[in-house]
Amino acid sequence: PDPIRLGRGDLVVLPLGGAHRVLDSLSSTAPMLDSILAEREVVDGELRFGGGTGPSSEIVCGIFTSEGPWPPPWVRRLPAVVRSTDGEGRDEWRRAAAVALRDEARSPTEGGSAMVNRLLESLIVDALRPEVVRSASEVGAPIEALADDRIGRVLALIRERPEAAWNLELLAGAAAMSRSTFATRFCSLVGDPPMRYVADVRLGRAARFLRSTDKTVADVARRVGYTSESALSRAFKARFGQAPSAFRRLASAGPAASHASN
């Protein structure tokens, strides 16, 4: 909903292929691509549109697809629009890649499609890498776990519904695996047993509620999947070394006190 201003060398990825418009100013209108293609031909891989006396812009576009009928879980966790700017020594090779893509589109060469695929993959990986790292940090699991189709699916479910009555059988069923195989693979990729990870997610969510809302401890317990206030209190104290009420008082005392408790 909010316009994103783009500059020279910026790379924009729409991981789920969301509808979008490209404008030269907020007051401009953007006709549908189908209507442009109905009036103008693509010549040597290039579509020219617009005109006038203003400066021209050159945009190199590409499409990528993931294997399988649905995007993997880690892709579904990405923002609708990922904008990656020049910098950190990447601008030169990115621009060289864009020029190579443009030239190949204008004058296809033998084996050029393979080169285009590799260039696109490199650009996409460079753009998405920071978002994937951020997503893995939020989930509290290694990137390899997010990238795994079955374990990544379970991690997303736990994060979306920590209050659900999860047990090993339900989690294994969500991954379409046997309990023993699931538990082994989950622990291998995530580093913790499934139910310990569930508890960590619940307690992390509870701490966030206690810091940022005035919900009662009983309400927080219910929202994060504990059957009673006392059950949350026991688990919370074992994890953070203090009861939920004490944690809230310390967090509300100020940043310094909150930092000291972490």
Side-chain angles (χ1 to χ4, degrees):
D2 297 323
I4 299 174
R5 184 177 181 85
L6 303 180
R8 177 182 174 88
D10 285 359
L11 176 61
V12 176
V13 182
L14 300 123
L16 298 178
H20 59 284
R21 294 184 175 95
V22 180
L23 307 171
D24 62 346
S25 72
L26 295 180
S27 60
S28 298
T29 58
M32 297 293 288
L33 180 60
D34 289 346
S35 66
I36 299 176
L37 292 172
E39 298 177 357
R40 297 174 180 269
E41 293 184 0
V42 177
V43 180
D44 295 332
E46 188 169 353
L47 174 65
R48 292 182 177 270
F49 175 74
T53 58
S56 62
S57 297
E58 188 175 51
I59 303 174
V60 179
C61 302
I63 299 173
F64 67 97
T65 58
S66 58
E67 295 180 355
W70 305 106
W74 67 269
V75 172
R76 295 197 294 270
R77 291 185 59 86
L78 294 171
V81 180
V82 176
R83 175 196 174 205
S84 180
T85 60
D86 277 351
E88 300 179 3
R90 298 178 302 189
D91 51 348
E92 291 186 6
W93 78 263
R94 274 192 180 181
R95 290 176 185 174
V99 169
L101 289 170
R102 181 199 62 191
D103 292 347
E104 179 62 30
R106 286 175 172 169
S107 303
T109 60
E110 186 175 352
S113 59
M115 180 193 73
V116 166
N117 287 338
R118 299 293 84 77
L119 287 174
L120 280 175
E121 287 177 359
S122 298
L123 289 169
I124 291 167
V125 168
D126 190 56
L128 297 186
R129 179 177 50 190
E131 289 294 338
V132 173
V133 171
R134 178 194 57 77
S135 181
S137 177
E138 289 181 353
V139 171
I143 293 175
E144 292 79 6
L146 283 180
D148 185 275
D149 185 54
R150 299 190 182 195
I151 301 304
R153 185 190 320 155
V154 170
L155 292 173
L157 283 173
I158 295 171
R159 304 292 298 192
E160 291 167 6
R161 299 174 52 206
E163 76 285 355
W166 297 117
N167 56 38
L168 187 59
E169 184 174 0
L170 287 174
L171 294 174
M177 301 170 72
S178 70
R179 286 185 297 179
S180 59
T181 301
F182 167 73
T184 300
R185 184 164 184 79
F186 189 99
C187 193
S188 173
L189 289 173
V190 178
D192 283 319
M195 296 313 297
R196 181 180 298 174
Y197 178 83
V198 171
D200 284 345
V201 171
R202 288 172 171 171
L203 291 172
R205 193 71 55 87
R208 188 189 311 169
F209 278 135
L210 291 169
R211 281 195 303 263
S212 59
T213 74
D214 58 359
K215 301 181 186 301
T216 66
V217 175
D219 190 23
V220 170
R222 184 170 57 255
R223 285 174 175 268
V224 301
Y226 284 91
T227 56
S228 66
E229 179 179 345
S230 59
L232 170 62
S233 296
R234 287 194 298 271
F236 199 92
K237 189 170 184 179
R239 173 66 173 80
F240 294 103
Q242 53 190 320
S245 55
F247 179 89
R248 168 173 277 167
R249 285 195 301 271
L250 194 60
S252 63
S258 178
H259 176 73
S261 69
N262 288 334

